[in-house]
Amino acid sequence: MRNVLIALALLPVSATLPLAAHAEIVQHSQAETQALDLAKKAISLRSVAGAGNKTKDVAQLFKATLMDGGFLEKDITITPLDDTVYMTATWPGTDTALKPLVILGHMDVVEAKPSDWTRDPFTPVVENGYLFGRGATDMKLDDALVIASVLELKRQGYKPRRSIILAFSGDEETAMKTGEALAEKLQNAELVLNVDGTGGVLNEDSNKPDYFMWGGAEKTYADYTLTVTNPGGHSSEPRPENAIYHMASALIKLKNYHFKPELNDITRAYFQQAGALKKGTVGQAMQSFAKNPADQAAIKVLSANYTTVGLIGTTCVATMINGGHALNALPQKVTANINCRIFPGHSKEEIGAELQHVIADPDVKLEIQEAGSVATPASPMRKDFSEAVVKAIHSVYPNLPVIPAMFAGATDNMWFRAHNVPSYTGSPIIMKTSDLFMHGLNERTPLSAIAPSINYFLSLIPDLSH
């Protein structure tokens, strides 16, 4: 998952709902064992962009596992692209007139330096009820759970009406070219289920789930390069024109600027209902903002909270700066990167123009970096999908609130949405917030998530493919 998931809309639930309890979990020992074993083998393969990238080996591992489970070699393709690969595996349906269901994931992971970790990130470790390793959460365990669940369905004799295509990209964490290629290849899909990330939150005290989330939209990811050039000169002869000070002035203007807060129907519903469930100042501010998006007191509270600031509109922040060419010379060139997460309904060009207006300096040049992202609308709130997710979750956690959500951007779903394919995220893994270390040190996922996840997929996949 290249970015953070943030809640967007809440299905009607009572503020007095008790914490959800486990239903009777049906044990599927072979699938559970296979999922853990496959995840451990995948974690041991350092599928990181650059020298020594082993994403191809992960694809070969998945291919061998699927063939052992009954997939035909002719139905599996592994396609090289740059230093990585992408993969598809098709389980043919009985009705060739139906468009396929695509189940999407990625095989690559974020870089991890062993010297920074308590355990080697590419040596999977099972300890104290957790699976540790890079990819334990994002997202090799999810990949393994899907594969194990599909093979369990095969063992049970399930025959899908619509074809099921397992699709795994190989550079979701970096260039995202393989996701774009997969979407181009599979643009005739009926629906995409992306199992990236985590799907819900466990209560820190009770260890029972508070809510479950599935994603139906993404903010647009965008980078803008600011450039200031200057003749420079000798550092012993300072001049009024200094590219570093010039850039600093522009960045301070951006720091002090806030995009207009805004609502749409989905975010309004979220703030109304989630605010009623959340205690304290933040919950009150959420409800106030839903009533009046110009409420300055509410905006101040929500802007100061990292879990809500991305929900109230577009955000932009300086992330990198580079300048100067010698310790004893005035700088001739300074560049800075501004990273934006754009609220749906606005284009990269529109936001770029707004940034340029805020800087109000023709000597600060702004350039949009186009690679790696595309603006797309939210996927439709399909009743068949949402009801299937609720059914699957409630088979494990009865009465658990189910919340549609929006990514801050971006996942491979955006490429499919660009082809008008309804695309959703729906990982079954539910974890404590304190256990979330994806992209960080000592990434881990509780083993207790495996059995419920298998049950979830064994319900959801047939409902979406029959």
Side-chain angles (χ1 to χ4, degrees):
M1 180 190 294
R2 202 173 166 193
N3 304 281
V4 178
L5 180 69
I6 50 180
L8 245 189
L10 187 62
L11 294 180
V13 295
S14 168
T16 59
L17 267 178
L19 294 170
H22 276 285
E24 184 74 27
I25 302 293
V26 178
Q27 298 297 318
H28 300 89
S29 299
Q30 186 172 348
E32 293 166 22
T33 299
Q34 183 176 48
L36 179 58
D37 180 63
L38 183 59
K40 290 165 66 177
K41 289 177 180 177
I43 288 170
S44 70
L45 298 170
R46 187 180 172 278
S47 52
V48 177
N53 188 347
K54 292 188 177 181
T55 304
K56 179 180 179 180
D57 295 332
V58 177
Q60 292 291 349
L61 170 67
F62 288 175
K63 177 180 178 178
T65 302
L66 289 166
M67 289 180 62
D68 285 345
F71 273 70
L72 300 179
E73 185 170 18
K74 70 179 182 64
D75 292 329
I76 301 175
T77 64
I78 297 175
T79 306
L81 181 58
D82 294 341
D83 73 335
T84 187
V85 300
Y86 60 92
M87 171 183 174
T88 62
T90 301
W91 184 359
T94 59
D95 188 344
T96 57
L98 295 178
K99 294 181 178 181
L101 165 67
V102 172
I103 303 179
L104 181 64
H106 64 85
M107 300 175 288
D108 61 312
V109 295
V110 171
E111 176 66 284
K113 296 181 178 180
S115 60
D116 295 337
W117 284 52
T118 303
R119 305 163 188 81
D120 183 276
F122 300 105
T123 301
V125 174
V126 173
E127 187 177 284
N128 299 324
Y130 289 90
L131 170 64
F132 290 87
R134 177 59 90 218
T137 305
D138 188 13
M139 62 166 293
K140 289 178 176 177
L141 178 57
D142 278 295
D143 293 339
L145 287 165
V146 165
I147 291 172
S149 297
V150 165
L151 296 183
E152 176 67 20
L153 287 170
K154 271 186 166 289
R155 285 192 294 272
Q156 292 179 3
Y158 174 68
K159 297 185 183 302
R161 285 187 61 221
R162 70 175 73 248
S163 294
I164 297 172
I165 301 177
L166 304 183
F168 299 105
S169 64
D171 61 349
E172 195 268 357
E173 301 290 7
T174 52
M176 304 187 83
K177 292 182 180 180
T178 56
E180 184 177 11
L182 280 168
E184 181 70 27
K185 180 178 181 179
L186 303 174
Q187 60 182 284
N188 68 324
E190 171 66 22
L191 181 147
V192 171
L193 169 65
N194 187 342
V195 296
D196 198 358
T198 61
V201 174
L202 287 179
N203 187 279
E204 295 287 340
D205 297 322
S206 70
N207 206 38
K208 294 179 180 179
D210 284 334
Y211 55 86
F212 178 83
M213 296 184 295
W214 58 266
E218 294 179 5
K219 295 178 80 175
T220 302
Y221 178 103
D223 286 306
Y224 302 85
T225 300
L226 302 182
T227 303
V228 175
T229 56
N230 193 282
H234 201 286
S235 62
S236 66
E237 299 173 343
R239 304 178 186 186
E241 300 84 9
N242 184 299
I244 290 178
Y245 297 154
H246 203 152
M247 179 63 78
S249 177
L251 294 178
I252 291 299
K253 290 179 182 178
L254 295 181
K255 173 183 180 293
N256 294 329
Y257 181 73
H258 300 284
F259 289 84
K260 181 181 178 180
E262 56 188 310
L263 286 169
N264 57 34
D265 290 342
I266 299 176
T267 56
R268 182 179 287 107
Y270 167 75
F271 283 118
Q272 287 172 340
Q273 298 172 51
L277 294 172
K278 192 173 184 66
K279 298 178 181 179
T281 305
V282 173
Q284 294 173 3
M286 293 166 74
Q287 295 180 77
S288 297
F289 184 74
K291 294 177 182 177
N292 177 18
D295 186 320
Q296 293 302 308
I299 291 169
K300 182 177 181 180
V301 172
L302 298 177
S303 296
N305 187 305
Y306 75 94
T307 66
T308 55
V309 64
L311 295 171
I312 64 174
T314 296
T315 59
C316 292
V317 62
T319 56
M320 295 183 71
I321 190 166
N322 183 56
H325 59 283
L327 295 176
N328 59 353
L330 300 178
Q332 296 174 354
K333 182 178 181 180
V334 178
T335 62
N337 188 78
I338 306 300
N339 180 255
C340 297
R341 308 303 171 102
I342 301 172
F343 200 83
H346 302 280
S347 68
K348 294 180 183 181
E349 291 74 18
E350 177 188 350
I351 297 303
E354 190 166 348
L355 292 174
Q356 192 78 74
H357 178 75
V358 172
I359 294 169
D361 186 342
D363 293 328
V364 180
K365 307 300 181 183
L366 181 145
E367 181 183 4
I368 302 175
Q369 303 302 312
E370 294 290 352
S373 179
V374 61
T376 59
S379 294
M381 295 281 285
R382 282 182 50 155
K383 186 177 180 181
D384 59 342
F385 178 80
S386 61
E387 288 184 348
V389 171
V390 170
K391 176 186 171 184
I393 284 298
H394 285 178
S395 72
V396 184
Y397 306 108
N399 302 317
L400 185 67
V402 178
I403 308 171
M406 180 178 76
F407 276 99
T411 72
D412 285 325
N413 275 358
M414 66 181 174
W415 302 117
F416 286 89
R417 290 194 185 105
H419 287 288
N420 298 313
V421 179
S423 304
Y424 309 91
T425 53
S427 166
I429 293 179
I430 299 180
M431 295 172 58
K432 293 180 179 179
T433 302
S434 60
D435 280 336
L436 287 174
F437 295 97
M438 63 178 72
H439 292 203
L441 296 176
N442 306 313
E443 184 178 346
R444 66 188 188 187
T445 295
L447 300 179
S448 59
I450 293 177
S453 295
I454 297 290
N455 278 258
Y456 167 90
F457 281 129
L458 294 183
S459 171
L460 184 60
I461 294 174
D463 281 351
L464 296 179
S465 62
H466 201 66

